Amino acid sequence: MSDRLQVLVIDDDAADRMAMRRHLAFAGTAIDVQEADTGAGGIALLKARKFDCVFVDYRLPDMEGTALLQNFYDINTDQMPAPFVMLTGQGGEAVMAEALRWGAHDYIVKDNVTTAAVMISLAKAREIFDLKRARHSAEEKLRQAQKMDAVGQLTSGVAHDFNNLLTVILGNTRLMHRRLEALSDPDARTAITKKVEAVESAARRGADLIRHLMVFSRQRELKEDIVDIGQSVRATVELLQRTLGERVEIRIAGEEQTPPVGVDSTLLENALINIAVNARDAMPEGGRLTFSVANAQFNGADYALISVSDTGCGMPEHVRERIFEPFYTTKPADEGTGLGLAMVYGFVRQTGGHIEVESAEAQGTTFRIYLPPARGEKNKEKSNAG
Ligand SMILES: Nc1ncnc2c1ncn2[C@@H]1O[C@H](COP(=O)(O)OP(=O)(O)O)[C@@H](O)[C@H]1O
Ligand SMILES: [Mg+2]
């Protein structure tokens, strides 16, 4: 609502709360103070809204301050929902140590509080809170990158061998078909043919997976076509209209002229198909799939942007966070491979682009793919526009 700092004081002693209010009022910064006189009251407020800092007394009528901390502290990530300062009595070193262990960012000894001490604690707690949060998100990103990298390396090791195995399997099923034709018993022929076909289709599916994995693990050199994104999207939409079924209404909502992009056109089409097939899966009752093409900026640079929106079931956050991971799928084993979006991600990153997803449960999903202009196209575009 405003830039005013939102501070919560949890203390059962009205005089102490008053004193904190005075210190905070003297501070010269615009601060709104909320009060709670029990641990439960404080917890309820903390769950209901965001605070920029929380001062919590150690001795509360219904719990100890450290119990309140424990209620919010995530021991795995070392994160708290807000900066916390523990208020302790004189000589409470053990309490201070315990408070810090349970996620408090600073502490104040109550007996000789000064306005300066309160302000320093407020600033310090907020700074440590921000540092911890920044470190956590950097670690998360690193972990994610390492995971993708590890899968990439693992994959490149097995992909070729696996491909060879599949070639052997498919070669043999071809031979078996030929032998089957010579079989005199028609019932046996039909029965065995069915089995051989099952083996074949499984092997083909395996080969598809491997192809996707090879893109993901950068085993395949991408060719660079100079692609008109609008044209590419139109071609894909035409294909999809024939394949996705009548329940999905597909349309192109907007199409700006974008500078040509240097991408592997087959992989771009593949990526759009992957996204569209996911969208269809997310709309079992049918729905709308909308494409658009526009010029856009990402981190200050110019890109051609393809957006794909569906009116499907959407995703909760814990799914959304993982969709680009190889093998992550929420679908039954025989329907999902979890490789579609890993492939899309690998392709976009190798192309020097970016991909974003916006989704919420029952709100549908939008994917945005930012693709960089082909080399030498950037300046041309500038002078055209200017
Ligand atoms: N448009 C979408 N709407 C809802 N969920 C989606 C959508 N696209 C992807 N997902 C989720 O992301 C997961 C991973 O997708 P993907 O990598 O293509 O693998 P798969 O389709 O084989 O499950 C899906 O299982 C699904 O849970
Ligand atoms: Mg998929």
mmCIF file of all heavy atoms in Angstrom, residues 278-279 282 310 313-315 319 323 328-331 336-342 365 367, ligand 1:
data_model
loop_
_atom_site.group_PDB
_atom_site.id
_atom_site.type_symbol
_atom_site.label_atom_id
_atom_site.label_comp_id
_atom_site.label_asym_id
_atom_site.label_seq_id
_atom_site.Cartn_x
_atom_site.Cartn_y
_atom_site.Cartn_z
ATOM 1 N N ASN A 278 0.822 -30.495 -24.641
ATOM 2 C CA ASN A 278 0.615 -30.329 -23.193
ATOM 3 C C ASN A 278 -0.675 -29.565 -22.918
ATOM 4 O O ASN A 278 -1.421 -29.894 -22.003
ATOM 5 C CB ASN A 278 1.782 -29.562 -22.560
ATOM 6 C CG ASN A 278 2.997 -30.440 -22.361
ATOM 7 O OD1 ASN A 278 2.899 -31.654 -22.358
ATOM 8 N ND2 ASN A 278 4.144 -29.811 -22.184
ATOM 9 N N ALA A 279 -0.901 -28.516 -23.722
ATOM 10 C CA ALA A 279 -2.106 -27.699 -23.534
ATOM 11 C C ALA A 279 -3.345 -28.551 -23.760
ATOM 12 O O ALA A 279 -4.306 -28.477 -23.000
ATOM 13 C CB ALA A 279 -2.083 -26.500 -24.483
ATOM 14 N N ALA A 282 -4.028 -30.604 -20.911
ATOM 15 C CA ALA A 282 -4.523 -29.813 -19.775
ATOM 16 C C ALA A 282 -5.976 -29.392 -19.972
ATOM 17 O O ALA A 282 -6.577 -28.800 -19.089
ATOM 18 C CB ALA A 282 -3.636 -28.585 -19.564
ATOM 19 N N ASP A 310 -3.226 -21.377 -22.952
ATOM 20 C CA ASP A 310 -4.361 -22.301 -22.991
ATOM 21 C C ASP A 310 -5.327 -21.981 -21.875
ATOM 22 O O ASP A 310 -5.005 -21.242 -20.941
ATOM 23 C CB ASP A 310 -3.878 -23.761 -22.914
ATOM 24 C CG ASP A 310 -3.233 -24.107 -21.580
ATOM 25 O OD1 ASP A 310 -3.881 -23.903 -20.525
ATOM 26 O OD2 ASP A 310 -2.085 -24.587 -21.583
ATOM 27 N N CYS A 313 -6.214 -26.580 -17.147
ATOM 28 C CA CYS A 313 -6.274 -26.719 -15.691
ATOM 29 C C CYS A 313 -5.212 -25.901 -14.954
ATOM 30 O O CYS A 313 -5.312 -25.668 -13.760
ATOM 31 C CB CYS A 313 -6.125 -28.191 -15.308
ATOM 32 S SG CYS A 313 -4.566 -28.900 -15.878
ATOM 33 N N GLY A 314 -4.172 -25.452 -15.670
ATOM 34 C CA GLY A 314 -3.128 -24.687 -15.004
ATOM 35 C C GLY A 314 -2.310 -25.553 -14.074
ATOM 36 O O GLY A 314 -2.503 -26.768 -13.996
ATOM 37 N N MET A 315 -1.376 -24.906 -13.372
ATOM 38 C CA MET A 315 -0.482 -25.674 -12.498
ATOM 39 C C MET A 315 -0.327 -24.988 -11.150
ATOM 40 O O MET A 315 -0.218 -23.775 -11.100
ATOM 41 C CB MET A 315 0.925 -25.728 -13.098
ATOM 42 C CG MET A 315 1.045 -26.519 -14.351
ATOM 43 S SD MET A 315 2.689 -26.234 -15.038
ATOM 44 C CE MET A 315 2.260 -25.265 -16.466
ATOM 45 N N VAL A 319 4.352 -27.671 -9.080
ATOM 46 C CA VAL A 319 4.501 -28.293 -10.403
ATOM 47 C C VAL A 319 5.234 -27.331 -11.331
ATOM 48 O O VAL A 319 6.193 -27.695 -12.003
ATOM 49 C CB VAL A 319 3.121 -28.668 -11.000
ATOM 50 C CG1 VAL A 319 3.264 -29.113 -12.451
ATOM 51 C CG2 VAL A 319 2.476 -29.765 -10.174
ATOM 52 N N ILE A 323 8.623 -28.084 -14.144
ATOM 53 C CA ILE A 323 8.212 -28.610 -15.452
ATOM 54 C C ILE A 323 9.342 -28.739 -16.465
ATOM 55 O O ILE A 323 9.251 -29.542 -17.373
ATOM 56 C CB ILE A 323 7.074 -27.768 -16.079
ATOM 57 C CG1 ILE A 323 7.470 -26.299 -16.139
ATOM 58 C CG2 ILE A 323 5.792 -27.950 -15.317
ATOM 59 C CD1 ILE A 323 6.473 -25.457 -16.907
ATOM 60 N N TYR A 328 10.420 -34.994 -15.435
ATOM 61 C CA TYR A 328 9.353 -34.576 -14.520
ATOM 62 C C TYR A 328 8.016 -34.618 -15.250
ATOM 63 O O TYR A 328 7.824 -33.950 -16.258
ATOM 64 C CB TYR A 328 9.595 -33.172 -13.965
ATOM 65 C CG TYR A 328 8.467 -32.774 -13.043
ATOM 66 C CD1 TYR A 328 8.415 -33.257 -11.744
ATOM 67 C CD2 TYR A 328 7.407 -31.990 -13.505
ATOM 68 C CE1 TYR A 328 7.345 -32.952 -10.914
ATOM 69 C CE2 TYR A 328 6.330 -31.677 -12.683
ATOM 70 C CZ TYR A 328 6.313 -32.156 -11.387
ATOM 71 O OH TYR A 328 5.252 -31.867 -10.574
ATOM 72 N N THR A 329 7.113 -35.419 -14.740
ATOM 73 C CA THR A 329 5.781 -35.495 -15.340
ATOM 74 C C THR A 329 4.743 -35.731 -14.256
ATOM 75 O O THR A 329 5.053 -36.317 -13.222
ATOM 76 C CB THR A 329 5.700 -36.629 -16.386
ATOM 77 O OG1 THR A 329 4.375 -36.658 -16.939
ATOM 78 C CG2 THR A 329 6.030 -37.989 -15.788
ATOM 79 N N THR A 330 3.531 -35.233 -14.491
ATOM 80 C CA THR A 330 2.438 -35.515 -13.563
ATOM 81 C C THR A 330 1.479 -36.514 -14.204
ATOM 82 O O THR A 330 0.419 -36.782 -13.668
ATOM 83 C CB THR A 330 1.675 -34.223 -13.218
ATOM 84 O OG1 THR A 330 1.198 -33.661 -14.441
ATOM 85 C CG2 THR A 330 2.554 -33.228 -12.497
ATOM 86 N N LYS A 331 1.881 -37.008 -15.375
ATOM 87 C CA LYS A 331 0.975 -37.895 -16.110
ATOM 88 C C LYS A 331 1.290 -39.362 -15.819
ATOM 89 O O LYS A 331 2.400 -39.684 -15.417
ATOM 90 C CB LYS A 331 1.100 -37.611 -17.610
ATOM 91 C CG LYS A 331 0.697 -36.179 -17.938
ATOM 92 C CD LYS A 331 1.024 -35.772 -19.350
ATOM 93 C CE LYS A 331 0.817 -34.262 -19.490
ATOM 94 N NZ LYS A 331 1.279 -33.743 -20.780
ATOM 95 N N GLY A 336 2.982 -39.860 -20.034
ATOM 96 C CA GLY A 336 3.957 -38.776 -19.947
ATOM 97 C C GLY A 336 5.376 -39.306 -19.904
ATOM 98 O O GLY A 336 5.653 -40.354 -19.330
ATOM 99 N N THR A 337 6.276 -38.561 -20.539
ATOM 100 C CA THR A 337 7.697 -38.913 -20.471
ATOM 101 C C THR A 337 8.446 -37.902 -19.616
ATOM 102 O O THR A 337 9.528 -38.170 -19.126
ATOM 103 C CB THR A 337 8.341 -38.871 -21.861
ATOM 104 O OG1 THR A 337 8.218 -37.534 -22.369
ATOM 105 C CG2 THR A 337 7.670 -39.833 -22.800
ATOM 106 N N GLY A 338 7.849 -36.718 -19.483
ATOM 107 C CA GLY A 338 8.538 -35.652 -18.763
ATOM 108 C C GLY A 338 9.692 -35.070 -19.547
ATOM 109 O O GLY A 338 10.525 -34.365 -18.984
ATOM 110 N N LEU A 339 9.730 -35.341 -20.842
ATOM 111 C CA LEU A 339 10.850 -34.828 -21.638
ATOM 112 C C LEU A 339 10.455 -33.683 -22.564
ATOM 113 O O LEU A 339 11.312 -32.979 -23.088
ATOM 114 C CB LEU A 339 11.457 -35.962 -22.468
ATOM 115 C CG LEU A 339 12.276 -36.946 -21.645
ATOM 116 C CD1 LEU A 339 12.720 -38.109 -22.513
ATOM 117 C CD2 LEU A 339 13.477 -36.250 -21.030
ATOM 118 N N GLY A 340 9.151 -33.499 -22.761
ATOM 119 C CA GLY A 340 8.695 -32.482 -23.711
ATOM 120 C C GLY A 340 9.266 -31.112 -23.394
ATOM 121 O O GLY A 340 9.954 -30.503 -24.217
ATOM 122 N N LEU A 341 9.005 -30.652 -22.193
ATOM 123 C CA LEU A 341 9.431 -29.295 -21.860
ATOM 124 C C LEU A 341 10.934 -29.210 -21.594
ATOM 125 O O LEU A 341 11.537 -28.167 -21.798
ATOM 126 C CB LEU A 341 8.638 -28.772 -20.661
ATOM 127 C CG LEU A 341 7.159 -28.518 -20.968
ATOM 128 C CD1 LEU A 341 6.435 -28.028 -19.722
ATOM 129 C CD2 LEU A 341 6.991 -27.503 -22.093
ATOM 130 N N ALA A 342 11.549 -30.317 -21.163
ATOM 131 C CA ALA A 342 13.012 -30.327 -21.022
ATOM 132 C C ALA A 342 13.633 -30.094 -22.396
ATOM 133 O O ALA A 342 14.617 -29.354 -22.550
ATOM 134 C CB ALA A 342 13.488 -31.648 -20.436
ATOM 135 N N THR A 365 -2.665 -21.551 -18.670
ATOM 136 C CA THR A 365 -1.209 -21.463 -18.691
ATOM 137 C C THR A 365 -0.757 -20.663 -19.904
ATOM 138 O O THR A 365 -1.348 -20.768 -20.975
ATOM 139 C CB THR A 365 -0.612 -22.882 -18.779
ATOM 140 O OG1 THR A 365 -1.032 -23.624 -17.639
ATOM 141 C CG2 THR A 365 0.912 -22.846 -18.829
ATOM 142 N N PHE A 367 2.875 -19.882 -21.989
ATOM 143 C CA PHE A 367 4.313 -19.995 -22.200
ATOM 144 C C PHE A 367 4.758 -18.833 -23.071
ATOM 145 O O PHE A 367 4.068 -18.474 -24.022
ATOM 146 C CB PHE A 367 4.668 -21.314 -22.897
ATOM 147 C CG PHE A 367 4.631 -22.491 -21.974
ATOM 148 C CD1 PHE A 367 3.471 -23.236 -21.816
ATOM 149 C CD2 PHE A 367 5.757 -22.844 -21.251
ATOM 150 C CE1 PHE A 367 3.429 -24.320 -20.946
ATOM 151 C CE2 PHE A 367 5.735 -23.932 -20.380
ATOM 152 C CZ PHE A 367 4.576 -24.659 -20.235
HETATM 153 N N1 LIG B 1 -0.227 -26.250 -20.531
HETATM 154 C C1 LIG B 1 -0.080 -26.939 -19.386
HETATM 155 N N2 LIG B 1 -1.051 -26.908 -18.434
HETATM 156 C C2 LIG B 1 -0.905 -27.590 -17.273
HETATM 157 N N3 LIG B 1 0.171 -28.338 -16.962
HETATM 158 C C3 LIG B 1 1.173 -28.408 -17.854
HETATM 159 C C4 LIG B 1 1.110 -27.714 -19.111
HETATM 160 N N4 LIG B 1 2.267 -27.949 -19.765
HETATM 161 C C5 LIG B 1 3.008 -28.748 -18.978
HETATM 162 N N5 LIG B 1 2.367 -29.044 -17.832
HETATM 163 C C6 LIG B 1 2.890 -29.871 -16.736
HETATM 164 O O1 LIG B 1 4.280 -30.056 -16.953
HETATM 165 C C7 LIG B 1 4.604 -31.437 -16.911
HETATM 166 C C8 LIG B 1 5.798 -31.704 -17.774
HETATM 167 O O2 LIG B 1 5.499 -31.531 -19.147
HETATM 168 P P1 LIG B 1 6.383 -32.274 -20.229
HETATM 169 O O3 LIG B 1 7.820 -31.957 -19.974
HETATM 170 O O4 LIG B 1 5.861 -31.939 -21.586
HETATM 171 O O5 LIG B 1 6.179 -33.809 -19.917
HETATM 172 P P2 LIG B 1 4.861 -34.715 -20.104
HETATM 173 O O6 LIG B 1 3.920 -33.974 -21.034
HETATM 174 O O7 LIG B 1 5.395 -35.952 -20.722
HETATM 175 O O8 LIG B 1 4.321 -34.933 -18.745
HETATM 176 C C9 LIG B 1 3.315 -32.135 -17.310
HETATM 177 O O9 LIG B 1 3.265 -33.454 -16.809
HETATM 178 C C10 LIG B 1 2.258 -31.238 -16.686
HETATM 179 O O10 LIG B 1 2.091 -31.555 -15.312
#
